[in-house]
Amino acid sequence: GAGVSQSPRYKVAKRGQDVALRCDPISGHVSLFWYQQALGQGPEFLTYFQNEAQLDKSGLPSDRFFAERPEGSVSTLKIQRTQQEDSAVYLCASSSLQIGAGSQPQHFGDGTRLSIL
Amino acid sequence: QKEVEQDPGPLSVPEGAIVSLNCTYSNSAFQYFMWYRQYSRKGPELLMYTYSSGNKEDGRFTAQVDKSSKYISLFIRDSQPSDSATYLCAMRRTTDSWGKLQFGAGTQVVVTP
């Protein structure tokens, strides 16, 4: 497709389970971002990839959160031993931005709505 | 205190009115400013992107940046019911050269017919 695709759109898991969220960025986009959006809040940065390299993971809230982009295209955000506070919408964005350019827009997917029971 | 402050609203206006939205920020390192629109259960969509202080106009949308006051605004003229959405301001520091964004909490806008 033409846009950023995320799956699943909705995920319900029991506390303690592991979950995996997938992001298909726009074809050819070098940069990929993950954000977490709590109810009634703006997105909060989690991590950034340039191609397959994870250049910034400063926003990951704990070591239960892990992200990868092994071939520089599709990315997976994994949350281990989920907690209720992990309930949020997880947004993926991609851009053609290269380091130093600074002006390319980030295109967002529609997110995965994660609910932890 | 958050680095980017935005009134969550809701802001209700009649159709045809001007919608006025704003954000304040505390860190002068923010140099790039954006406004996103987010419909319910959708991802944010970029509306406006500005770098320098001043005004930028695109159709019914005008973005203003006042770096001296650390204050940015978005105006929507001739508002339509389809403009009902949450509007998010976003900012980027010059040191975050690859594009990490800091968002406000978003303002919910309702345009009534």
Side-chain angles (χ1 to χ4, degrees):
Chain A
V4 177
S5 178
Q6 293 188 246
S7 61
R9 288 297 315 277
Y10 302 91
K11 177 70 178 177
V12 179
K14 293 182 179 179
R15 188 161 54 100
Q17 289 182 330
D18 298 348
V19 297
L21 313 179
R22 177 188 169 101
C23 173
D24 279 274
I26 294 173
S27 178
H29 275 190
V30 170
S31 296
L32 187 145
F33 304 80
W34 284 98
Y35 291 86
Q36 180 190 59
Q37 187 173 23
L39 187 65
Q41 299 298 315
E44 294 277 348
F45 169 80
L46 293 177
T47 188
Y48 167 71
F49 290 87
Q50 185 185 32
N51 295 307
E52 69 279 1
Q54 190 175 20
L55 299 186
D56 189 332
K57 52 182 180 180
S58 62
L60 296 176
S62 76
D63 58 7
R64 296 186 296 105
F65 287 72
F66 172 77
E68 60 183 4
R69 194 185 185 197
E71 298 179 356
S73 56
V74 171
S75 177
T76 303
L77 177 66
K78 298 179 179 179
I79 309 174
Q80 298 177 323
R81 304 181 304 281
T82 53
Q83 303 295 317
Q84 284 192 321
E85 62 263 28
D86 300 335
S87 296
V89 175
Y90 290 85
L91 294 165
C92 176
S94 71
S95 78
S96 58
L97 179 69
Q98 295 280 359
I99 285 181
S103 62
Q104 299 304 310
Q106 293 182 28
H107 301 268
F108 282 82
D110 288 336
T112 294
R113 186 174 298 268
L114 176 64
S115 297
I116 305 300
L117 304 179
Chain B
Q1 185 177 3
K2 293 185 177 180
E3 286 189 292
V4 181
E5 296 283 353
Q6 185 177 9
D7 189 330
L11 179 63
S12 183
V13 299
E15 183 176 356
I18 294 175
V19 176
S20 175
L21 303 165
N22 59 77
C23 287
T24 59
Y25 61 97
S26 57
N27 192 334
S28 59
F30 288 124
Q31 295 291 321
Y32 300 87
F33 305 94
M34 286 135 274
W35 286 95
Y36 282 82
R37 178 176 63 195
Q38 187 174 27
Y39 291 115
S40 179
R41 299 183 182 275
K42 293 291 188 180
E45 171 194 11
L46 182 65
L47 290 175
M48 301 288 282
Y49 181 101
T50 55
Y51 169 65
S52 58
S53 286
N55 292 0
K56 182 177 181 180
E57 189 171 319
D58 184 2
R60 296 185 296 114
F61 299 93
T62 299
Q64 289 184 349
V65 175
D66 182 347
K67 290 185 179 179
S68 62
S69 300
K70 298 189 179 65
Y71 187 92
I72 67 170
S73 301
L74 178 71
F75 300 96
I76 308 173
R77 291 182 298 279
D78 187 26
S79 58
Q80 304 296 311
S82 59
D83 293 325
S84 297
T86 295
Y87 291 80
L88 298 155
C89 64
M91 310 182 184
R92 182 171 75 80
R93 300 179 186 88
T94 49
T95 50
D96 291 326
S97 59
W98 39 260
K100 172 182 175 179
L101 298 179
Q102 189 91 11
F103 284 86
T107 299
Q108 183 185 2
V109 172
V110 178
V111 181
T112 55

